[in-house]
Amino acid sequence: MKVMNRKKIILPALLLLLLSAVTGCSYKEEPDRTNDATTSYVTPKGDLPSADERAYVQTLVDEYNKSIKSSK
Amino acid sequence: MKRLTYILLSICLTGCSGFLNVQPQGMVIPKTDAEFGSIMHRHLQDIEGGADDIIVGNMETIARLEGIADNLDANVMVGSIPAYAGDLINNRMTDYREYFSVIKDCNIVIENLDGRSSEEAGNILSCAYAIKGICYFDMIRDFCEAWDASRASSQLGLPLVDRFDIEDRTCRSSLKETASYAEALLQKSLEIGMSDDLYFFTEYIVKAYLAKLYFWVEDWESTLKVCNDIVENSGISLTPLEGYEDMIQSAKDKKGEVIVRSHINDASELDWYFGYERSYIRTRPASLAFVSLFGDHPEDDVRYSVSIDGKRFNNKTPEMKIRISELVLMSAESFCHLGQEDKALELLNMLRRERIRGVQDYTAASLPAVREGDRIVEDALGKELTPLMQAILDERRKELFMEGDRWFELKRNGSPEWWIINNGLKYTVKSYLYTAPVYKGDVDLNPGMKQNEGYE
């Protein structure tokens, strides 16, 4: 009889414990997740320069080298 | 009874513990004037120590802004500073979040101190309004398109955040509303009439930012009024030729015509870092277009040797400043836009006499013709450059070299597209890149928040 009584108490108590643990209130700290989880943008990519553009840059470099030699 | 006790005990042991989280965790909620003051002093300490890279700006701000502009020539040598605006879009986006972190602090102070009668509360409040107004001005230049009077009511502005609320989801206002908001904040700071240097943003410093705001939004009359007020009443005057180098190269002191500058603290723990930053800035030479502005006798112009050395590397102490020279140039340009060319020319000549030895005054007839092939081909109103406007912009470019101005000059005057070649690839500074993206997290979280064009 005593065993039966213990079972009657312990089993519901365990069930209650489990229920409370699963459904107990929790503090929600994070905002809702969004569809897009990335935090940055893709930076623009470079193109291949034309021959004229490369030649123009070379003239700038040549002019610079010449000017710093003459200033020494 | 025993059964009931067990049940109650079980509930007690497994119940909610969330209430424990509502206690402040190591934080103190400010109450006294001094406690609110400490919120502002944290930002002021950063400005004075040179660590602030967003409100007044610092050496790092200059390295970034001059790196992506064209006073230095990345085509000749990229060096150790950013080469291309496109590479920085994510850093600039993060700045947006930092600005709002500062605005949050200002809002906490404004909400709680407004109405208090002590002098200290007034000083702190004035400082908070000034910093918030300056943040909005900075963000207008960074995160909004260049001002266009015909579209300002529909151009995207910024969220106008009045109070600290973590749940707030304010959307972007129009550019016109944002400009009025920034102006009102600076005016509120001025109304309090704070004069204590301890709070840094005293009357004429706030007025200098107000003048820059009016200038950016093309309110020429108001620009002239505020610039004139500063020149007439601040006691700060245009530094003459003899004192120019000392004023510009001052390591920490606010000398001569300087109204406000970054990094005035002689005991900054970041001095080691600025040593590196200075050396990085000296890794890219000035462009031929910039050097050519000094003409056939560059040594006559005091700014030439102060700005660059024999290898065209930077010589200037790289600190953010607002100086009387800038106000003179803003006034000259304002007169020019208002059709008062004589007054514009008079101011331009006044500045040139204090910068170039033995210079001959310009007359309307002797102004150099508009150059072909220059990057800026139209003025802030979208009109073709005139010889006078070109001369004003040239003088501005020489005067404000390495002070973080050129990037905004390009943006303001037509946002021209241009390119550099780096590591064998061509990178184009497209017009949309002059306007930085707002923080992506805000756009993702808030369906009403619009991103700037080009970053969708």
Side-chain angles (χ1 to χ4, degrees):
Chain A
M1 191 62 186
K2 275 186 179 175
V3 174
M4 282 300 286
N5 272 345
R6 264 187 214 155
K7 274 185 183 172
K8 274 184 187 172
I9 295 166
I10 292 169
L11 274 174
L14 280 173
L15 274 173
L16 199 68
L17 190 74
L18 189 70
L19 198 71
S20 304
V22 171
T23 61
C25 75
S26 61
Y27 187 74
K28 194 183 170 204
E29 289 177 331
E30 291 179 347
D32 296 332
R33 283 187 184 278
T34 57
N35 293 332
D36 185 356
T38 59
T39 55
S40 57
Y41 289 101
V42 177
T43 53
K45 290 188 169 48
D47 307 314
L48 278 176
S50 66
D52 284 351
E53 286 162 346
R54 281 200 302 269
Y56 171 70
V57 168
Q58 193 54 50
T59 60
L60 292 174
V61 174
D62 292 344
E63 185 282 331
Y64 173 70
N65 288 333
K66 196 176 154 194
S67 79
I68 60 167
K69 268 182 197 161
S70 64
S71 74
K72 275 177 186 173
Chain B
M1 189 59 196
K2 265 187 179 176
R3 195 180 295 178
L4 189 66
T5 311
Y6 284 131
I7 291 169
L8 284 173
L9 196 65
S10 305
I11 292 170
C12 289
L13 289 172
T14 59
C16 165
S17 61
F19 68 92
L20 290 170
N21 289 332
V22 299
Q23 294 295 325
Q25 296 169 3
M27 309 293 277
V28 176
I29 298 169
K31 285 192 184 82
T32 64
D33 294 350
E35 284 167 355
F36 284 108
S38 69
I39 299 176
M40 289 295 100
H41 279 301
R42 190 167 63 84
H43 295 297
L44 297 179
Q45 189 186 2
D46 282 350
I47 293 167
E48 291 175 353
D52 156 62
D53 59 350
I54 59 168
I55 306 168
V56 172
N58 64 359
M59 232 175 258
E60 196 180 319
T61 317
I62 289 177
R64 237 162 62 163
L65 287 172
E66 296 291 348
I68 60 176
D70 65 347
N71 275 337
L72 306 178
D73 198 340
N75 277 322
V76 172
M77 205 181 294
V78 169
S80 307
I81 53 175
Y84 167 57
D87 290 339
L88 286 187
I89 56 175
N90 291 312
N91 302 60
R92 296 169 74 200
M93 182 178 73
T94 313
D95 286 349
Y96 180 88
R97 195 173 56 171
E98 284 185 34
Y99 276 117
F100 273 102
S101 174
V102 178
I103 288 170
K104 177 255 302 170
D105 286 348
C106 295
N107 280 344
I108 290 172
V109 169
I110 291 167
E111 267 184 74
N112 288 282
L113 286 194
D114 208 3
R116 290 197 191 179
S117 57
S118 71
E119 191 184 341
E120 190 179 11
N123 290 343
I124 300 162
L125 196 58
S126 172
C127 176
Y129 276 125
I131 290 181
K132 188 177 170 187
I134 292 165
C135 283
Y136 269 99
F137 162 67
D138 289 339
M139 286 199 296
I140 285 171
R141 294 199 306 174
D142 267 341
F143 301 100
C144 302
E145 289 176 346
W147 182 267
D148 179 347
S150 65
R151 298 190 299 122
S153 300
S154 58
Q155 284 179 295
L156 277 177
L158 298 158
L160 308 180
V161 184
D162 271 327
R163 52 190 293 274
F164 171 57
D165 179 2
I166 207 159
E167 299 294 330
D168 187 62
R169 296 282 183 272
T170 310
C171 295
R172 297 178 73 172
S173 61
S174 73
L175 182 53
K176 194 171 186 177
E177 286 168 325
T178 309
S180 301
Y181 188 73
E183 181 195 357
L185 289 165
L186 295 173
Q187 293 287 11
K188 278 181 187 169
S189 172
L190 288 171
E191 278 166 24
I192 295 169
M194 197 270 288
S195 58
D196 188 344
D197 285 333
L198 188 65
Y199 294 92
F200 197 85
F201 292 99
T202 48
E203 181 182 358
Y204 291 103
I205 294 177
V206 177
K207 282 183 175 170
Y209 280 101
L210 188 61
K212 285 183 69 128
L213 172 68
Y214 286 139
F215 187 67
W216 185 262
V217 302
E218 298 168 4
D219 182 348
W220 313 121
E221 285 93 351
S222 298
T223 306
L224 285 167
K225 197 175 155 194
V226 179
C227 287
N228 195 47
D229 177 12
I230 297 169
V231 171
E232 294 287 318
N233 303 314
S234 68
I236 306 170
S237 54
L238 190 68
T239 295
L241 196 144
E242 304 77 41
Y244 186 80
E245 183 167 2
D246 187 40
M247 177 267 294
I248 288 289
Q249 304 298 38
S250 166
K252 298 278 163 53
D253 295 327
K254 204 165 81 170
K255 286 189 176 174
E257 64 175 40
V258 177
I259 302 165
V260 59
R261 62 162 279 174
S262 56
H263 204 183
I264 53 172
N265 186 349
D266 197 27
S268 171
E269 67 275 20
L270 291 171
D271 279 353
W272 63 272
Y273 170 72
F274 298 126
Y276 284 110
E277 204 62 63
R278 245 190 222 102
S279 65
Y280 294 155
I281 290 171
R282 279 180 54 81
T283 54
R284 187 184 301 168
S287 65
L288 177 61
F290 171 74
V291 175
S292 302
L293 295 178
F294 291 93
D296 296 335
H297 302 286
E299 63 283 355
D300 290 343
D301 193 322
V302 66
R303 293 168 296 194
Y304 183 76
S305 59
V306 167
S307 298
I308 52 174
D309 65 11
K311 291 185 174 178
R312 295 188 188 167
F313 290 127
N314 176 56
N315 248 355
K316 233 172 165 178
T317 300
E319 295 292 350
M320 294 297 274
K321 301 182 191 85
I322 305 181
R323 303 188 274 118
I324 296 292
S325 295
E326 184 179 354
L327 303 192
V328 170
L329 288 162
M330 289 199 298
S331 299
E333 188 175 330
S334 298
F335 276 128
C336 195
H337 284 299
L338 291 169
Q340 299 179 48
E341 280 87 2
D342 290 352
K343 287 183 177 171
L345 200 54
E346 193 182 310
L347 286 173
L348 186 65
N349 283 327
M350 181 184 85
L351 179 74
R352 283 167 56 82
R353 283 195 291 271
E354 299 299 349
R355 298 291 176 262
I356 309 170
R357 293 176 196 91
V359 70
Q360 290 287 310
D361 278 359
Y362 279 141
T363 63
S366 70
L367 282 163
V370 176
R371 293 180 297 272
E372 284 189 11
D374 260 23
R375 191 141 292 152
I376 292 178
V377 293
E378 60 182 63
D379 68 15
L381 300 179
K383 294 178 188 163
E384 261 183 45
L385 285 193
T386 60
L388 177 57
M389 186 59 80
Q390 177 184 260
I392 294 168
L393 296 183
D394 286 352
E395 225 53 53
R396 186 178 176 109
R397 192 173 178 184
K398 286 189 281 180
E399 188 67 44
L400 301 180
F401 175 74
M402 276 296 151
E403 293 184 36
D405 188 64
R406 177 67 176 170
W407 174 251
F408 297 113
E409 276 302 280
L410 291 168
K411 178 170 182 173
R412 202 169 63 83
N413 295 292
S415 303
E417 296 198 346
W418 49 288
W419 52 265
I420 60 149
I421 293 180
N422 184 20
N423 286 331
L425 289 174
K426 185 179 99 170
Y427 295 90
T428 305
V429 181
K430 296 199 170 150
S431 292
Y432 81 88
L433 286 173
Y434 286 101
T435 306
V438 299
Y439 187 59
K440 189 172 183 299
D442 286 6
V443 178
D444 291 343
L445 269 178
N446 184 355
M449 186 79 173
K450 287 183 187 163
Q451 183 53 280
N452 288 321
E453 204 178 313
Y455 305 100
E456 300 294 344

